Amino acid sequence: MTNQQILEIRSFNRFYTDLLGLLDSHLLDSPYSLAEGRILFEIASHGACRASDIIETLSIDKGYLSRILKKFEKEGLIERKASENDKRASLLSLSQSGIKVFNQLDSASNRQIEKITARLDQPELEALMGSMTKILQILK
């Protein structure tokens, strides 16, 4: 890979993170960071999961995840239950409050994408979707 190619990929990454506001301290005008939103997404997507599952999926530091989970517990967003298979492990799930917060973040994220793509006509939207699919196929 050439230095120019590296610079172009980094430029695209900066553009995309700026477009979505991912470096803002609060995700989608919420009190939550991008990492916190993503953790809520992972718990919501899996129903009940272990902290180790989140660590593996997100490649997140165990101590950082632990602090976020403690914050979520304090705010009443998650519940812990002992795993039936391994009593040493806890299963994490969203509480009713957590589901509400997740749904709000999810809806705000959908609105953000709708706003970003609103000016695109159908051929442009199809080209965007095709390009995104191609990027995923190449990088996975």
mmCIF file of all heavy atoms in Angstrom, residues 23-55:
data_model
loop_
_atom_site.group_PDB
_atom_site.id
_atom_site.type_symbol
_atom_site.label_atom_id
_atom_site.label_comp_id
_atom_site.label_asym_id
_atom_site.label_seq_id
_atom_site.Cartn_x
_atom_site.Cartn_y
_atom_site.Cartn_z
ATOM 1 N N LEU A 23 -17.154 11.830 16.954
ATOM 2 C CA LEU A 23 -16.169 12.297 17.930
ATOM 3 C C LEU A 23 -16.772 13.255 18.942
ATOM 4 O O LEU A 23 -16.091 13.703 19.854
ATOM 5 C CB LEU A 23 -14.988 12.952 17.207
ATOM 6 C CG LEU A 23 -14.214 12.015 16.279
ATOM 7 C CD1 LEU A 23 -13.072 12.756 15.610
ATOM 8 C CD2 LEU A 23 -13.713 10.782 17.001
ATOM 9 N N ASP A 24 -18.047 13.560 18.791
ATOM 10 C CA ASP A 24 -18.720 14.370 19.794
ATOM 11 C C ASP A 24 -18.709 13.608 21.110
ATOM 12 O O ASP A 24 -18.763 12.378 21.123
ATOM 13 C CB ASP A 24 -20.178 14.649 19.395
ATOM 14 C CG ASP A 24 -20.280 15.504 18.148
ATOM 15 O OD1 ASP A 24 -19.267 16.120 17.758
ATOM 16 O OD2 ASP A 24 -21.373 15.547 17.558
ATOM 17 N N SER A 25 -18.673 14.330 22.216
ATOM 18 C CA SER A 25 -18.636 13.643 23.510
ATOM 19 C C SER A 25 -19.955 12.942 23.809
ATOM 20 O O SER A 25 -20.004 12.037 24.626
ATOM 21 C CB SER A 25 -18.288 14.619 24.632
ATOM 22 O OG SER A 25 -19.249 15.653 24.698
ATOM 23 N N HIS A 26 -21.022 13.361 23.125
ATOM 24 C CA HIS A 26 -22.325 12.744 23.343
ATOM 25 C C HIS A 26 -22.901 12.290 22.010
ATOM 26 O O HIS A 26 -23.017 13.075 21.066
ATOM 27 C CB HIS A 26 -23.280 13.713 24.044
ATOM 28 C CG HIS A 26 -22.805 14.077 25.408
ATOM 29 N ND1 HIS A 26 -22.180 15.263 25.686
ATOM 30 C CD2 HIS A 26 -22.842 13.389 26.568
ATOM 31 C CE1 HIS A 26 -21.846 15.299 26.959
ATOM 32 N NE2 HIS A 26 -22.238 14.168 27.520
ATOM 33 N N LEU A 27 -23.287 11.055 21.941
ATOM 34 C CA LEU A 27 -23.810 10.442 20.733
ATOM 35 C C LEU A 27 -25.239 10.907 20.474
ATOM 36 O O LEU A 27 -26.097 10.783 21.352
ATOM 37 C CB LEU A 27 -23.764 8.913 20.891
ATOM 38 C CG LEU A 27 -24.296 8.064 19.753
ATOM 39 C CD1 LEU A 27 -23.408 8.229 18.523
ATOM 40 C CD2 LEU A 27 -24.328 6.608 20.168
ATOM 41 N N LEU A 28 -25.470 11.472 19.299
ATOM 42 C CA LEU A 28 -26.821 11.835 18.853
ATOM 43 C C LEU A 28 -27.562 12.696 19.875
ATOM 44 O O LEU A 28 -28.721 12.474 20.179
ATOM 45 C CB LEU A 28 -27.618 10.565 18.530
ATOM 46 C CG LEU A 28 -27.009 9.672 17.450
ATOM 47 C CD1 LEU A 28 -27.641 8.297 17.469
ATOM 48 C CD2 LEU A 28 -27.158 10.324 16.083
ATOM 49 N N ASP A 29 -26.863 13.688 20.417
ATOM 50 C CA ASP A 29 -27.438 14.601 21.416
ATOM 51 C C ASP A 29 -27.990 13.866 22.645
ATOM 52 O O ASP A 29 -28.963 14.297 23.254
ATOM 53 C CB ASP A 29 -28.526 15.479 20.788
ATOM 54 C CG ASP A 29 -27.964 16.410 19.736
ATOM 55 O OD1 ASP A 29 -26.841 16.932 19.947
ATOM 56 O OD2 ASP A 29 -28.630 16.622 18.714
ATOM 57 N N SER A 30 -27.392 12.747 22.975
ATOM 58 C CA SER A 30 -27.786 11.981 24.162
ATOM 59 C C SER A 30 -26.692 12.163 25.221
ATOM 60 O O SER A 30 -25.627 12.701 24.917
ATOM 61 C CB SER A 30 -27.935 10.496 23.814
ATOM 62 O OG SER A 30 -26.646 9.898 23.699
ATOM 63 N N PRO A 31 -26.917 11.690 26.416
ATOM 64 C CA PRO A 31 -25.855 11.767 27.431
ATOM 65 C C PRO A 31 -24.826 10.636 27.310
ATOM 66 O O PRO A 31 -23.985 10.473 28.190
ATOM 67 C CB PRO A 31 -26.626 11.671 28.750
ATOM 68 C CG PRO A 31 -27.877 10.948 28.422
ATOM 69 C CD PRO A 31 -28.198 11.291 26.986
ATOM 70 N N TYR A 32 -24.881 9.872 26.223
ATOM 71 C CA TYR A 32 -24.032 8.693 26.083
ATOM 72 C C TYR A 32 -22.964 8.883 25.007
ATOM 73 O O TYR A 32 -23.185 9.523 23.992
ATOM 74 C CB TYR A 32 -24.884 7.455 25.779
ATOM 75 C CG TYR A 32 -25.891 7.227 26.869
ATOM 76 C CD1 TYR A 32 -27.215 7.622 26.713
ATOM 77 C CD2 TYR A 32 -25.501 6.685 28.084
ATOM 78 C CE1 TYR A 32 -28.129 7.458 27.747
ATOM 79 C CE2 TYR A 32 -26.403 6.532 29.120
ATOM 80 C CZ TYR A 32 -27.712 6.919 28.943
ATOM 81 O OH TYR A 32 -28.604 6.777 29.971
ATOM 82 N N SER A 33 -21.799 8.283 25.254
ATOM 83 C CA SER A 33 -20.705 8.313 24.286
ATOM 84 C C SER A 33 -20.960 7.262 23.205
ATOM 85 O O SER A 33 -21.852 6.409 23.339
ATOM 86 C CB SER A 33 -19.380 8.006 24.986
ATOM 87 O OG SER A 33 -19.363 6.636 25.417
ATOM 88 N N LEU A 34 -20.153 7.301 22.171
ATOM 89 C CA LEU A 34 -20.249 6.292 21.107
ATOM 90 C C LEU A 34 -20.031 4.897 21.681
ATOM 91 O O LEU A 34 -20.775 3.968 21.372
ATOM 92 C CB LEU A 34 -19.224 6.578 20.009
ATOM 93 C CG LEU A 34 -19.113 5.532 18.904
ATOM 94 C CD1 LEU A 34 -20.432 5.399 18.143
ATOM 95 C CD2 LEU A 34 -17.981 5.892 17.951
ATOM 96 N N ALA A 35 -19.035 4.734 22.533
ATOM 97 C CA ALA A 35 -18.762 3.412 23.124
ATOM 98 C C ALA A 35 -19.956 2.928 23.943
ATOM 99 O O ALA A 35 -20.348 1.760 23.852
ATOM 100 C CB ALA A 35 -17.504 3.463 23.991
ATOM 101 N N GLU A 36 -20.547 3.830 24.727
ATOM 102 C CA GLU A 36 -21.698 3.448 25.539
ATOM 103 C C GLU A 36 -22.886 3.063 24.661
ATOM 104 O O GLU A 36 -23.568 2.066 24.929
ATOM 105 C CB GLU A 36 -22.075 4.595 26.474
ATOM 106 C CG GLU A 36 -21.040 4.826 27.555
ATOM 107 C CD GLU A 36 -21.213 6.134 28.297
ATOM 108 O OE1 GLU A 36 -21.861 7.069 27.767
ATOM 109 O OE2 GLU A 36 -20.685 6.227 29.428
ATOM 110 N N GLY A 37 -23.107 3.824 23.609
ATOM 111 C CA GLY A 37 -24.187 3.491 22.679
ATOM 112 C C GLY A 37 -23.970 2.148 22.023
ATOM 113 O O GLY A 37 -24.901 1.359 21.859
ATOM 114 N N ARG A 38 -22.734 1.880 21.663
ATOM 115 C CA ARG A 38 -22.429 0.609 21.006
ATOM 116 C C ARG A 38 -22.601 -0.568 21.965
ATOM 117 O O ARG A 38 -23.079 -1.640 21.584
ATOM 118 C CB ARG A 38 -21.010 0.645 20.441
ATOM 119 C CG ARG A 38 -20.622 -0.587 19.668
ATOM 120 C CD ARG A 38 -21.505 -0.811 18.424
ATOM 121 N NE ARG A 38 -21.334 -2.139 17.914
ATOM 122 C CZ ARG A 38 -20.378 -2.505 17.068
ATOM 123 N NH1 ARG A 38 -19.543 -1.615 16.589
ATOM 124 N NH2 ARG A 38 -20.288 -3.756 16.676
ATOM 125 N N ILE A 39 -22.256 -0.368 23.221
ATOM 126 C CA ILE A 39 -22.440 -1.429 24.222
ATOM 127 C C ILE A 39 -23.927 -1.692 24.430
ATOM 128 O O ILE A 39 -24.352 -2.851 24.498
ATOM 129 C CB ILE A 39 -21.706 -1.075 25.531
ATOM 130 C CG1 ILE A 39 -20.197 -1.138 25.290
ATOM 131 C CG2 ILE A 39 -22.126 -2.003 26.672
ATOM 132 C CD1 ILE A 39 -19.355 -0.477 26.356
ATOM 133 N N LEU A 40 -24.727 -0.635 24.512
ATOM 134 C CA LEU A 40 -26.178 -0.821 24.613
ATOM 135 C C LEU A 40 -26.700 -1.595 23.412
ATOM 136 O O LEU A 40 -27.542 -2.485 23.540
ATOM 137 C CB LEU A 40 -26.895 0.533 24.723
ATOM 138 C CG LEU A 40 -26.782 1.256 26.054
ATOM 139 C CD1 LEU A 40 -27.364 2.657 25.947
ATOM 140 C CD2 LEU A 40 -27.450 0.468 27.164
ATOM 141 N N PHE A 41 -26.187 -1.267 22.223
ATOM 142 C CA PHE A 41 -26.588 -1.970 21.005
ATOM 143 C C PHE A 41 -26.256 -3.454 21.099
ATOM 144 O O PHE A 41 -27.089 -4.308 20.745
ATOM 145 C CB PHE A 41 -25.904 -1.348 19.781
ATOM 146 C CG PHE A 41 -26.149 -2.104 18.512
ATOM 147 C CD1 PHE A 41 -27.314 -1.907 17.782
ATOM 148 C CD2 PHE A 41 -25.231 -3.033 18.042
ATOM 149 C CE1 PHE A 41 -27.548 -2.609 16.609
ATOM 150 C CE2 PHE A 41 -25.456 -3.741 16.879
ATOM 151 C CZ PHE A 41 -26.623 -3.530 16.160
ATOM 152 N N GLU A 42 -25.073 -3.769 21.560
ATOM 153 C CA GLU A 42 -24.661 -5.178 21.649
ATOM 154 C C GLU A 42 -25.548 -5.943 22.624
ATOM 155 O O GLU A 42 -25.973 -7.060 22.333
ATOM 156 C CB GLU A 42 -23.192 -5.304 22.054
ATOM 157 C CG GLU A 42 -22.219 -4.851 20.992
ATOM 158 C CD GLU A 42 -22.344 -5.600 19.680
ATOM 159 O OE1 GLU A 42 -22.595 -6.822 19.683
ATOM 160 O OE2 GLU A 42 -22.204 -4.943 18.625
ATOM 161 N N ILE A 43 -25.842 -5.344 23.764
ATOM 162 C CA ILE A 43 -26.696 -6.021 24.745
ATOM 163 C C ILE A 43 -28.107 -6.180 24.175
ATOM 164 O O ILE A 43 -28.712 -7.254 24.287
ATOM 165 C CB ILE A 43 -26.709 -5.265 26.089
ATOM 166 C CG1 ILE A 43 -25.305 -5.270 26.710
ATOM 167 C CG2 ILE A 43 -27.714 -5.899 27.054
ATOM 168 C CD1 ILE A 43 -25.150 -4.355 27.914
ATOM 169 N N ALA A 44 -28.627 -5.134 23.552
ATOM 170 C CA ALA A 44 -29.972 -5.200 22.959
ATOM 171 C C ALA A 44 -30.028 -6.240 21.844
ATOM 172 O O ALA A 44 -31.009 -6.970 21.718
ATOM 173 C CB ALA A 44 -30.378 -3.836 22.414
ATOM 174 N N SER A 45 -28.984 -6.327 21.045
ATOM 175 C CA SER A 45 -28.968 -7.253 19.902
ATOM 176 C C SER A 45 -28.908 -8.716 20.324
ATOM 177 O O SER A 45 -29.425 -9.583 19.632
ATOM 178 C CB SER A 45 -27.770 -6.959 19.001
ATOM 179 O OG SER A 45 -27.878 -5.676 18.461
ATOM 180 N N HIS A 46 -28.255 -8.972 21.446
ATOM 181 C CA HIS A 46 -28.062 -10.356 21.878
ATOM 182 C C HIS A 46 -29.062 -10.807 22.943
ATOM 183 O O HIS A 46 -29.044 -11.968 23.334
ATOM 184 C CB HIS A 46 -26.631 -10.553 22.394
ATOM 185 C CG HIS A 46 -25.613 -10.397 21.327
ATOM 186 N ND1 HIS A 46 -24.898 -9.232 21.150
ATOM 187 C CD2 HIS A 46 -25.214 -11.228 20.345
ATOM 188 C CE1 HIS A 46 -24.100 -9.374 20.115
ATOM 189 N NE2 HIS A 46 -24.259 -10.565 19.604
ATOM 190 N N GLY A 47 -29.883 -9.897 23.416
ATOM 191 C CA GLY A 47 -30.822 -10.273 24.468
ATOM 192 C C GLY A 47 -30.110 -10.366 25.790
ATOM 193 O O GLY A 47 -30.105 -9.429 26.555
ATOM 194 N N ALA A 48 -29.471 -11.449 26.056
ATOM 195 C CA ALA A 48 -28.649 -11.622 27.255
ATOM 196 C C ALA A 48 -27.269 -12.054 26.799
ATOM 197 O O ALA A 48 -27.133 -12.951 25.979
ATOM 198 C CB ALA A 48 -29.267 -12.670 28.176
ATOM 199 N N CYS A 49 -26.264 -11.366 27.310
ATOM 200 C CA CYS A 49 -24.900 -11.716 26.915
ATOM 201 C C CYS A 49 -23.962 -11.516 28.098
ATOM 202 O O CYS A 49 -24.317 -10.888 29.094
ATOM 203 C CB CYS A 49 -24.461 -10.881 25.719
ATOM 204 S SG CYS A 49 -24.385 -9.106 26.028
ATOM 205 N N ARG A 50 -22.785 -12.050 27.968
ATOM 206 C CA ARG A 50 -21.766 -11.914 28.997
ATOM 207 C C ARG A 50 -20.867 -10.730 28.649
ATOM 208 O O ARG A 50 -20.730 -10.369 27.476
ATOM 209 C CB ARG A 50 -20.926 -13.177 29.095
ATOM 210 C CG ARG A 50 -21.730 -14.406 29.486
ATOM 211 C CD ARG A 50 -20.910 -15.664 29.392
ATOM 212 N NE ARG A 50 -20.462 -15.800 27.993
ATOM 213 C CZ ARG A 50 -19.400 -16.489 27.616
ATOM 214 N NH1 ARG A 50 -18.665 -17.126 28.496
ATOM 215 N NH2 ARG A 50 -19.062 -16.565 26.345
ATOM 216 N N ALA A 51 -20.241 -10.144 29.634
ATOM 217 C CA ALA A 51 -19.293 -9.053 29.390
ATOM 218 C C ALA A 51 -18.183 -9.530 28.459
ATOM 219 O O ALA A 51 -17.740 -8.785 27.582
ATOM 220 C CB ALA A 51 -18.723 -8.542 30.708
ATOM 221 N N SER A 52 -17.762 -10.773 28.619
ATOM 222 C CA SER A 52 -16.694 -11.295 27.761
ATOM 223 C C SER A 52 -17.116 -11.338 26.291
ATOM 224 O O SER A 52 -16.279 -11.191 25.397
ATOM 225 C CB SER A 52 -16.255 -12.686 28.232
ATOM 226 O OG SER A 52 -17.341 -13.586 28.195
ATOM 227 N N ASP A 53 -18.416 -11.520 26.025
ATOM 228 C CA ASP A 53 -18.901 -11.482 24.642
ATOM 229 C C ASP A 53 -18.730 -10.085 24.055
ATOM 230 O O ASP A 53 -18.346 -9.928 22.894
ATOM 231 C CB ASP A 53 -20.383 -11.879 24.569
ATOM 232 C CG ASP A 53 -20.646 -13.293 25.044
ATOM 233 O OD1 ASP A 53 -19.765 -14.155 24.872
ATOM 234 O OD2 ASP A 53 -21.740 -13.530 25.599
ATOM 235 N N ILE A 54 -19.020 -9.071 24.860
ATOM 236 C CA ILE A 54 -18.878 -7.686 24.407
ATOM 237 C C ILE A 54 -17.407 -7.362 24.177
ATOM 238 O O ILE A 54 -17.050 -6.733 23.173
ATOM 239 C CB ILE A 54 -19.509 -6.716 25.418
ATOM 240 C CG1 ILE A 54 -21.015 -6.969 25.519
ATOM 241 C CG2 ILE A 54 -19.243 -5.264 25.021
ATOM 242 C CD1 ILE A 54 -21.701 -6.233 26.650
ATOM 243 N N ILE A 55 -16.558 -7.806 25.087
ATOM 244 C CA ILE A 55 -15.113 -7.580 24.944
ATOM 245 C C ILE A 55 -14.625 -8.181 23.638
ATOM 246 O O ILE A 55 -13.874 -7.550 22.878
ATOM 247 C CB ILE A 55 -14.345 -8.163 26.151
ATOM 248 C CG1 ILE A 55 -14.639 -7.342 27.403
ATOM 249 C CG2 ILE A 55 -12.844 -8.230 25.877
ATOM 250 C CD1 ILE A 55 -14.168 -7.982 28.699
#
